[in-house]
Amino acid sequence: MMDVITPPTGTQAIDRAARILTHVLEGDTRFTVGALSDAVNLPKSTTSRLVGALERHGLLARDPEDGSLLPGPAIDAYARRARIDPSLTDLAQDLLESVATVTGETTTLSVPTPRGVEQIAQADGAYILGSTNWMGRTVPFHASAVGKAMLAFGATALPTGQLESLTDKTLTIRADLVRDLEATRQRGYGLSVEEIEPGLIAIGAPVRGADRRVVAGVAIAGPSVRITPDRYAAIGELLVRTADELEARITSHGLEEGAA
């Protein structure tokens, strides 16, 4: 009687994926899929399938040059945020409050994550209309002012499939985004005009770490009746100066690279 090879149960699949992830995270050298399959004693097809699942969830990534496996953006984001988030928010809070006082609008500090831009600190504006609680919210990179600033200045790449999942007019959106990011680089700050929801305007500037890599962003958001086009430049320049001050604080306090 022939032995029947049954597919792995859900628990077995989870256990195998965990073994794969652990080997990549704890290994002294980088693994290709083939080398990893040998290391964890699994068929290459099974290893490849599980690696693909881990990649889709941001837990693993591949070096574009040699295909070796690396910790994914979700792992990287968690590790870096766990190191310095408390210090980052402490350093930024009075700066956020100053911007909120000057502009009258809710001001936020955010960091890039695999899911989008996550708000981690906030100073409330002076108005009832527009005083949204942004804490813990995640907004798309391509539709938010601070997300555009992060993309334009190289903090992150747009997550695979994010645009495709939104509309069947992907090519139009992508072309518009390319133009928008170029304008963002020229201005020094991002602008979102009613892209998150009707009537909401946001302006955001990138914050760099000690190594000059963009690690966070500061932004204001409010209704179009108050944040009118004639105010965009002045607010944007204020946010750029605020971001520069936060960068100086990050450097002087010796925070490790990365805020997300």
Side-chain angles (χ1 to χ4, degrees), residues 61-141:
R62 299 191 196 223
D63 186 308
E65 294 186 0
D66 62 15
S68 61
L69 297 169
L70 303 167
I75 297 292
D76 187 49
Y78 178 80
R80 284 183 277 126
R81 285 186 60 198
R83 273 204 305 268
I84 72 167
D85 263 5
S87 297
L88 180 65
T89 55
D90 288 346
L91 291 178
Q93 191 60 45
D94 68 306
L95 296 175
L96 301 181
E97 292 169 358
S98 177
V99 173
T101 298
V102 171
T103 64
E105 305 298 344
T106 298
T107 307
T108 59
L109 175 71
S110 57
V111 293
T113 78
R115 302 178 306 280
V117 181
E118 182 179 343
Q119 325 301 311
I120 63 170
Q122 172 172 319
D124 293 335
Y127 303 97
I128 295 175
L129 177 63
S131 293
T132 302
N133 182 8
W134 289 95
M135 289 293 291
R137 291 193 179 191
T138 301
V139 295
F141 286 102

Side-chain angles (χ1 to χ4, degrees), residues 2 14 21 79 89 105 107-109 121 143 151 161 188 218 240 251:
M2 294 180 60
I14 292 171
L21 183 60
T89 55
E105 305 298 344
T107 307
T108 59
L109 175 71
L151 290 174
V218 291
V240 170
T251 301

